[in-house]
Amino acid sequence: MLRLLLLQPPRGALSALPALAAAPGAPLAAAGALDRSWGTAAATAAAVAGSGAPDKPGRRPPAPARPKPAPEQRALPRRNHQIRAPQLLVIFPDGSKEVLSAALAREAAASLGLDLVEVNPRASPPVARILDYSQLAHEAALKADAAGKARRAAAKLATPKEMQFSARIADHDLEVKLRKVTAWLEQGARVQLVVKHGREEEAAAQEALDYLLARLSAGCAVEAGAKQVQRRAVSLLVKPLGAAAGEPDGGVSDGG
C-alpha cells in the first residue's frame, strides 16, 4: 500500500494545477502545492505501515496458530510424598506386610534405596509397596506400547485385502498371486478375489474364480453373500477357516 500511495498523485493535486498556473508566481505556487500534497500522502503511508494495519480494508489479520496438544500422559500411581493417606498397609520387598504411618513408610523405603508406591488407594488403609519406581514406570510403558500395538493390529483387521487376477493370467503369475493370498490367509486376513475379464470372457472369468476357490479351499471359506458380479469383473470374499475376519494390512490391492 505504501508503494501505491507513493506512485499515485494525491487527489486534487492535478486539478489544482490550472488555477495555480493562472495566478501570479504560478510555478512556485504549483511546486509548493505538489510538495505539500506528496508530503501528506507519504506521511499517511508511513503511519499506516507503522501501525501494522492490514493492506486492504476489511481483511482480518491471520489468526494465531493453535498450540499443539500435549502428549498423552500415562497414569502412574502416586509415590513417596505424593501419597496423601496418613496410614498405609506397606508391603515390603520380601512380601511381609505392616501398617505404618506415611512418614515411617517413606523412611523405610528410603533406607532400602527404593520408593514407596501406592498400589491400592481405595483400600482401608490404602496399600503401598516398597519397590523400584523407575522399573514400574518402564513396565507400564511396555504394557502401554503392547496395548497400542494390539489396537493398531485390530484396526487393520477392518478392511479386507484384495488380489486381482485376469481371465487369461499366465501360470507363473497365477502361482505367485496364489502364494501371496495363502500367506494373507495364514496371517488371519480376509481376501477379496477379483477376476477381471473382457466383453466375451464372462464364462472364463467364472471358471477362473472357481479354480481359485478350489486351490484355496484347504485354508479358507467363502463369506455368505460375498460374491459380486460386475460389468468387467467377478469377485469373491474369502476368510481363513476357523478365524475371525481380519487382515494385517488394511485395504491393499495387488492387481494383475
Side-chain angles (χ1 to χ4, degrees):
M1 185 174 181
L2 177 60
R3 183 179 300 175
L4 293 176
L5 288 174
L6 293 178
L7 292 178
Q8 295 178 357
R11 293 182 178 178
L14 296 180
S15 61
L17 289 179
L20 292 173
L28 294 178
L34 286 176
D35 288 342
R36 287 192 297 274
S37 300
W38 283 110
T40 303
T44 303
V48 170
S51 64
D55 291 344
K56 294 183 179 181
R59 177 178 295 180
R60 295 181 180 179
R66 294 183 179 179
K68 295 182 179 180
E72 182 181 356
Q73 300 292 331
R74 296 186 178 93
L76 292 175
R78 289 189 288 263
R79 69 184 188 277
N80 300 330
H81 292 280
Q82 297 175 351
I83 301 175
R84 295 188 288 267
Q87 279 194 332
L88 300 168
L89 174 60
V90 182
I91 303 176
F92 288 84
D94 59 359
S96 60
K97 302 177 182 179
E98 186 177 356
V99 177
L100 298 173
S101 66
L104 290 178
R106 285 192 291 268
E107 291 178 3
S111 65
L112 297 174
L114 299 173
D115 300 290
L116 181 67
V117 181
E118 190 178 45
V119 294
N120 189 359
R122 297 186 178 182
S124 181
V127 182
R129 277 185 180 274
I130 295 178
L131 47 79
D132 186 358
Y133 185 80
S134 61
Q135 181 66 25
L136 178 66
H138 178 66
E139 293 176 357
L142 291 179
K143 290 181 180 179
D145 292 342
K149 289 180 180 178
R151 287 193 300 269
R152 290 190 294 272
K156 290 179 179 180
L157 301 178
T159 307
K161 292 275 195 176
E162 181 178 304
M163 181 65 76
Q164 296 183 1
F165 302 83
S166 63
R168 299 180 180 275
I169 188 171
D171 293 341
H172 174 74
D173 295 340
L174 175 63
E175 296 301 325
V176 171
K177 289 178 179 288
L178 283 176
R179 285 196 297 269
K180 186 65 175 178
V181 172
T182 302
W184 284 342
L185 291 171
E186 291 175 353
Q187 294 170 4
R190 292 183 301 165
V191 183
Q192 186 84 19
L193 304 176
V194 181
V195 179
K196 295 185 175 181
H197 58 79
R199 179 175 301 179
E200 299 179 356
E201 295 178 338
E202 293 88 347
Q206 184 60 52
E207 292 178 2
L209 191 61
D210 294 340
Y211 174 78
L212 294 174
L213 186 58
R215 289 285 303 271
L216 300 170
S217 60
C220 72
V222 180
E223 285 202 355
K227 184 176 180 180
Q228 298 179 3
V229 179
Q230 303 173 1
R231 183 179 179 184
R232 290 289 185 267
V234 290
S235 62
L236 195 64
L237 183 61
V238 296
K239 63 181 179 180
L241 286 176
E247 98 290 345
D249 263 332
V252 177
S253 173
D254 190 353

